Structures are given as structure tokens and as C-alpha cells.
Amino acid sequence: MKKNLLKIASLALAATAIVGFAACGETKANYVAKPITGIEVEEYGFAVGKNSTNKTAILTAMNEVISTADMSAVVAYYTSVAADETPSVTLEFANLDDNTGGTLNVYTCSGFEPYEFVVSEEVVGVDIYLMELVAEKLNMKLSVTDMDFDGICGKVATEDNAVGAAGITINDDRKQTIDFSNPYYSSVQYIISKDSEAFTSLESLAGKKIGVQKGTTGALMVEDAIASGVLKDTGAEMVEYDTGAVAYVAMKANKIDYVVIDELPAQALVKGN
């Protein structure tokens, strides 16, 4: 299966940036990820355009995969792969070599472990694995495009037979332009901070620079808190990055104070510290 990857060059630049940040005084500290208290649990869904020709078939296949997949095993497998560890579980993989029903175009954003990340110049992860199973049910090939998260929903809304698979939180605003599969995973937002702080509330971030990934639920939450919520008039500032990983590097280099991002990516980031 051939996958279309567009961000290899940007990933190389990100790696260069990591070295640059480190050279500019990266803080030698331990970091922790803690859930934000008092917020709603969010649910991820796969997205498809409302006017997509094969929308019904695609959604049906998605929901069948979601209902039958062992999500705990899939998450455990790719959490280990992302950490460069040998998985303790095994998975059955789709074989799309002989499929003849066209191509399912998947849009994602790597750097969001364990859902999507790059290994040997190929995007892999929970979402990609599930999309391969969806393509198998549809008798289709799979093409994966790696792009900025905040452009995925717009792309899916306007392209036929395109889907978004990137840990996309189901919400009413997005439902105006795209349709969602059934939820396949639940998450909450986490704060990454130094272990001496271990903050669990947005109020604790008053007056600080807060890193987020562009277009995500975490970004919307922090933006609302600064505009009209618990961080209003506190001097808090939101700084957007293409990925949570880049935000975390900036935090360690003292460019920002904290990072707000989804549960599993937050845990993956601090695991490597």
C-alpha cells in the first residue's frame, strides 16, 4: 500500500528546531501530564464530507470497524511502537493489495502519538490502522496525506470520498460541514508542566504563556478561557504550534510555560521527557 506523505520535509525541519531549542538553553527538569479538572470528556470520531458520493458506505464501514475493533489492544500496540518498544499485543492487519474499488483519501496530522506519528517516513498509528480496516471493508486502496490539523475538516468537507482521521473531537461546530462516525475513543485535556507544579486547573495558568496545537479542542478551550473565562484579564497568552510535540519542545526551551493537549499525546510526550 502506497501512502501519500507531504510533511516529511517539515518533520526534518522540526528535528532541526529541536536541536536548535536545546542549544538555546533547554530546561533540565522533569515534566508531568495531569488531567484538567472540571471539564467535559470529549469523544473522537472519523470525519467525512456531507456531500461525499459514498458517504453512507464509508460511515457504515467506519462504524462496523469501531464496533468490532479491540481499541484497548490497538492503543496499547501503537503506544509501544511510538515509544520504540516491542508491543505486548498483536494485531491483525488489513491487506489492500488486491482491492479494486478506488482510493479512500485519508487526511491526518502526525505528531499526535499514538493516534498518528511517523516511522521510517510513513504515517502509522491507531487512526491509520483503523482506516486500513475501513478501506478493506470498502474494497479500496488507501492514500494518507499528512497536513496541518486545522485544515483537515475543511479539506474533508470539500473533497469527494475523503475522510479525516486525526483524533478529531466531535462537536456541533464541526457537524455543520462534516458528518462523523460513531465515537471510537474518549479523551480529556491535559496540562503538561514541571513536576514541581503538576497543575490540574486552567486557573493555575493565569499570566502564563500556554502552548497548544492549532485548531484542536485544547486550543479552543484555552482561547475561550482567555477571552471570557477563568483566564480573562490575567495576562495569560496562547501560543499556537503545528503539533503538540513542537509545543513541548518550545516549553522545554523556556519559550512557553505550559502545554495543553489531549490525554494520550500528553502522556507520550512526557514519557520521553
Side-chain angles (χ1 to χ4, degrees):
M1 176 184 62
K2 185 176 181 181
K3 298 183 179 179
N4 180 20
L5 303 179
L6 298 181
K7 291 179 65 179
I8 295 171
S10 64
L11 289 169
L13 288 174
T16 302
I18 290 174
V19 175
F21 279 140
C24 292
E26 181 180 298
T27 300
K28 300 301 181 182
N30 291 322
Y31 296 88
V32 294
K34 297 291 184 179
I36 300 176
T37 57
I39 62 172
E40 294 183 359
V41 173
E42 60 196 81
E43 295 182 315
Y44 295 159
F46 298 121
V48 62
K50 287 184 174 295
N51 298 317
S52 182
T53 303
N54 296 320
K55 181 182 74 172
T56 300
I58 292 171
L59 286 173
T60 298
M62 287 176 172
N63 291 333
E64 287 177 356
V65 167
I66 291 167
S67 67
T68 57
D70 184 345
M71 287 303 302
S72 295
V74 177
V75 169
Y77 182 93
Y78 283 104
T79 298
S80 295
V81 173
D84 199 24
E85 299 171 351
T86 301
S88 59
V89 298
T90 58
L91 299 178
E92 184 175 343
F93 292 86
N95 184 349
L96 310 181
D97 292 342
D98 298 326
N99 288 4
T100 59
T103 300
L104 183 66
N105 296 312
V106 175
Y107 292 93
T108 192
C109 179
S110 62
F112 197 66
E113 302 172 355
Y115 301 101
E116 33 271 331
F117 54 99
V118 174
V119 174
S120 299
E121 300 185 351
E122 181 179 21
V123 180
V124 300
V126 172
D127 290 342
I128 308 307
Y129 171 81
L130 296 175
M131 286 299 98
E132 289 173 347
L133 298 181
V134 169
E136 186 175 49
K137 283 185 174 292
L138 295 169
N139 188 34
M140 300 178 79
K141 305 284 189 182
L142 195 71
S143 173
V144 177
T145 299
D146 197 1
M147 63 181 293
D148 288 343
F149 181 85
D150 60 349
I152 292 176
C153 290
K155 187 71 172 177
V156 170
T158 57
E159 183 175 319
D160 198 25
N161 294 332
V163 301
I168 303 172
T169 300
I170 301 170
N171 63 38
D172 290 338
D173 286 341
R174 289 170 177 158
K175 285 181 179 179
Q176 294 180 24
T177 57
I178 55 178
D179 286 337
F180 281 99
S181 68
N182 294 335
Y184 67 94
Y185 207 80
S186 298
S187 181
V188 293
Q189 293 299 305
Y190 270 49
I191 297 172
I192 300 178
S193 64
K194 295 176 182 177
D195 60 359
S196 58
E197 297 167 322
F199 289 145
T200 60
S201 68
L202 286 177
E203 293 93 330
S204 302
L205 310 187
K208 302 298 184 179
K209 288 186 177 181
I210 308 163
V212 298
Q213 181 178 355
K214 291 189 297 185
T216 60
T217 299
L220 296 174
M221 177 185 298
V222 172
E223 182 178 39
D224 288 345
I226 291 174
S228 58
V230 297
L231 296 177
K232 184 178 180 180
D233 298 327
T234 67
E237 177 185 350
M238 184 177 78
V239 183
E240 294 184 302
Y241 296 90
D242 287 339
T243 70
V246 176
Y248 183 55
V249 170
M251 175 184 170
K252 294 175 71 175
N254 298 317
K255 303 294 184 182
I256 56 175
D257 299 299
Y258 306 101
V259 174
V260 172
I261 195 171
D262 297 57
E263 176 184 4
L264 294 185
Q267 293 175 346
L269 289 171
V270 300
K271 184 175 183 179
N273 202 33

